[in-house]
Amino acid sequence: EALHLLAASAWLGSLLPLMLCLRRLPASQAAALCQNFSPIGIGCVLLLAASGLAQGMELVGTLPALVGTQYGHIVLLKITLFLVTLGFAARNRLTLTDRLFDAGAETARRQLVHSIGAETLVGLAIVLAAGFLASTTPGAHEQPDWPFPWRPSLAVMTEPELRREVVISACLVGACLAVVAGTLVWRRGRAVAVLLALGVIAWQAPSFGLLVVDAYPTSFYASPTGFNAAAIVHGQALYAAQCADCHGTGGQGDGPASAGLRIHPADLTAGHLWDHPDGDLFWWIGHGMRDPEGGVAMPGFAAQLSEADRWDLIDYIRANNAGTALRMESARSLPPAMPVRCAGNSASQLSDLRGKVVLVITAAASHVTGPPVIPPQDGFPVVALYLTGRRPNQGCVAETPDARAAFAITAGLSPSAPSVPGYLVDPDGWLRAILPQDQVSKHPERLVATIRTICDHLGGAAPSDEHAHHH
């Protein structure tokens, strides 16, 4: 920020004295002055661009925030004004300064003075825009409203045939652009090369259309819940009241009302759920979905569910999907976030225990025989986390009454299923295993073997807090 301020001061602060000197000095000295000023101006511009980019990446954050927030709109205005000043500066240096040596030096001098004056005014407008930015919430801290009817998506790249089509199209277009670049260097055949490139781009455009999907104003909204246990459990109750009739108790789309519907409800346990961001789900739950003929495929629930309710419902849908995958396919699932208290440990959230194997115990500490103290496995400490009961002398205890129910959901266990004694969360923060009773209390050697197996097969990046629930 200091470098950005100094560069702006040196550039804009020099324009007024430069303009005054140009009005007074002889043409030859004025031309020399402009030439000597150029290195200073270029250095300031490069420093402004680099420091502005660094600030923008931190404060704006993403492309959706750039085009979908008030802060981003002001940044776009500031960038546009900056490009305008660059245009003035380029004209001043590359055109008008050279004319100071010609016969029409006085005309060039007047034009140069006017151009520098206009550049100064635009620069002051940039300073004004920066002042508005200083009092506006950064785009990285706002929910961006996506203004376009489509958004980029790489989901198609998971399909081999479609991926091959996109790659071939990209190679063809890239080759044509390389030919165009070659003709610019050799100064031959430019028109033919450009026409060829335009033809290939038009021919391959449908393939690149595979890389965009329908979008909605909330497509890039991020869930504010942090996937916490209370949200998941509340979302389960909302699902039972609002969604189970059509989508079924387990989410397979087989609810009692589904038989009478022209469009079968979506299977919310299918893997393709993860192709849709939280923002799309938020829009569909609030505003409904249309079928290909324009009819109502799913009604909207904005009148019945508040925004907070919709986010909790999304958490449950994600957790139920990940739990089904964990139970059926031995996948990884993100455990619910929750506050914890630990003996001899400063951790205050479950995520603070990453880097350790977490042995999750569902029963109260006083009702569990064991678990035994397990030494570190493959260099990873083993910590016990009790979901109910008072804090033990060692290990941790969850500080939310929803911990047990939320873990059951993310493990794919139905509310009517018998309670399991525990789970294992690996050092990367993934929920990896549901433990049978004998591993917790009767056969600790089996528990140790399971922990070792998990530690030997980590390999997954640590989950983020933005719904990286399974893979």
Side-chain angles (χ1 to χ4, degrees):
E1 291 177 353
L3 291 174
H4 193 77
L5 179 62
L6 290 172
S9 301
W11 183 28
L12 294 177
S14 299
L15 292 180
L16 180 59
L18 176 64
M19 182 173 61
L20 295 176
C21 289
L22 285 175
R23 293 171 62 91
R24 299 287 183 177
L25 293 175
S28 59
Q29 294 183 12
L33 176 64
C34 291
Q35 289 177 335
N36 292 334
F37 176 75
S38 292
I40 298 174
I42 293 173
C44 289
V45 166
L46 292 176
L47 189 55
L48 276 170
S51 56
L53 178 62
Q55 292 181 66
M57 291 177 65
E58 180 177 355
L59 298 176
V60 178
T62 62
L63 175 62
L66 181 65
V67 300
T69 65
Q70 181 182 14
Y71 190 92
H73 295 162
I74 299 175
V75 169
L76 286 175
L77 174 63
K78 186 179 176 184
I79 292 173
T80 301
L81 293 174
F82 181 68
L83 294 177
V84 170
T85 61
L86 288 184
F88 280 119
R91 178 172 179 264
N92 297 343
R93 178 62 185 89
L94 300 178
T95 302
L96 298 180
T97 297
D98 292 340
R99 293 180 184 174
L100 292 175
F101 295 99
D102 298 337
E106 288 304 315
T107 300
R109 184 205 298 267
R110 286 195 300 273
Q111 292 177 342
L112 190 56
V113 169
H114 293 157
S115 181
I116 293 175
E119 181 182 350
T120 303
L121 292 176
V122 176
L124 293 175
I126 295 176
V127 173
L128 182 62
F132 280 109
L133 287 178
S135 58
T136 304
T137 302
H141 301 155
E142 290 189 333
Q143 298 278 34
D145 293 318
W146 185 248
F148 307 113
W150 46 264
R151 62 176 175 84
S153 173
L154 295 177
V156 69
M157 302 302 283
T158 61
E159 300 291 337
E161 288 297 323
L162 298 178
R163 180 174 65 244
R164 180 173 176 271
E165 178 181 343
V166 171
V167 171
I168 291 175
S169 298
C171 291
L172 288 173
V173 172
C176 289
L177 294 178
V179 171
V180 171
T183 61
L184 294 177
V185 174
W186 296 318
R187 300 182 180 180
R188 293 180 181 178
R190 296 178 185 175
V192 174
V194 170
L195 290 175
L196 176 63
L198 292 176
V200 171
I201 291 173
W203 175 37
Q204 297 299 324
S207 296
F208 292 114
L210 297 172
L211 296 176
V212 297
V213 297
D214 291 340
Y216 310 93
T218 63
S219 284
F220 289 94
Y221 277 21
S223 174
T225 66
F227 197 57
N228 69 75
I232 293 171
V233 173
H234 182 225
Q236 183 182 45
L238 295 172
Y239 179 89
Q242 304 289 345
C243 312
D245 254 4
C246 293
H247 290 281
T249 303
Q252 287 87 4
D254 55 355
S258 63
L261 299 177
R262 185 168 62 88
I263 301 294
H264 197 273
D267 181 358
L268 300 178
T269 65
H272 66 74
L273 178 73
W274 304 96
D275 294 336
H276 305 294
D278 286 349
D280 282 1
L281 300 181
F282 183 81
W283 179 266
W284 290 331
I285 293 172
H287 297 83
M289 299 179 69
R290 296 285 177 177
D291 61 26
E293 287 75 33
V296 177
M298 185 184 88
F301 292 88
Q304 294 90 340
L305 300 173
S306 66
E307 289 193 7
D309 287 341
R310 279 175 266 170
W311 287 123
D312 290 354
L313 182 56
I314 290 170
D315 272 357
Y316 169 72
I317 292 171
R318 297 287 198 196
N320 181 65
N321 184 293
T324 301
L326 178 69
R327 179 169 49 86
M328 303 297 293
E329 306 168 15
S330 298
R332 305 167 193 252
S333 174
L334 181 65
M338 61 186 66
V340 299
R341 285 186 299 124
C342 300
N345 192 316
S346 61
S348 61
Q349 295 289 329
L350 177 57
S351 59
D352 294 336
L353 297 176
R354 286 177 190 168
K356 303 176 176 63
V357 177
V358 181
L359 172 58
V360 181
I361 307 298
T362 60
S366 59
H367 297 152
V368 176
T369 305
V373 177
I374 302 174
Q377 302 296 315
D378 290 348
F380 297 109
V382 180
V383 178
L385 170 63
Y386 296 91
L387 299 186
T388 59
R390 301 176 63 183
R391 181 172 63 175
N393 293 330
Q394 57 185 353
C396 306
V397 65
E399 291 202 291
T400 172
D402 297 308
R404 191 168 178 175
F407 256 100
I409 294 168
T410 56
L413 303 175
S414 67
S416 59
S419 177
V420 298
Y423 313 91
L424 278 177
V425 177
D426 72 17
D428 286 334
W430 295 103
L431 176 58
R432 293 287 297 278
I434 304 171
L435 298 176
Q437 181 66 46
D438 59 356
Q439 281 195 13
V440 176
S441 57
K442 298 179 181 179
H443 298 283
E445 71 280 358
R446 296 181 185 176
L447 175 60
V448 171
T450 302
I451 293 174
R452 286 179 177 172
T453 300
I454 288 175
C455 290
D456 289 340
H457 298 83
L458 293 178
S464 71
D465 294 328
E466 296 180 358
H467 293 318
H469 298 322
H470 88 298
H471 69 216

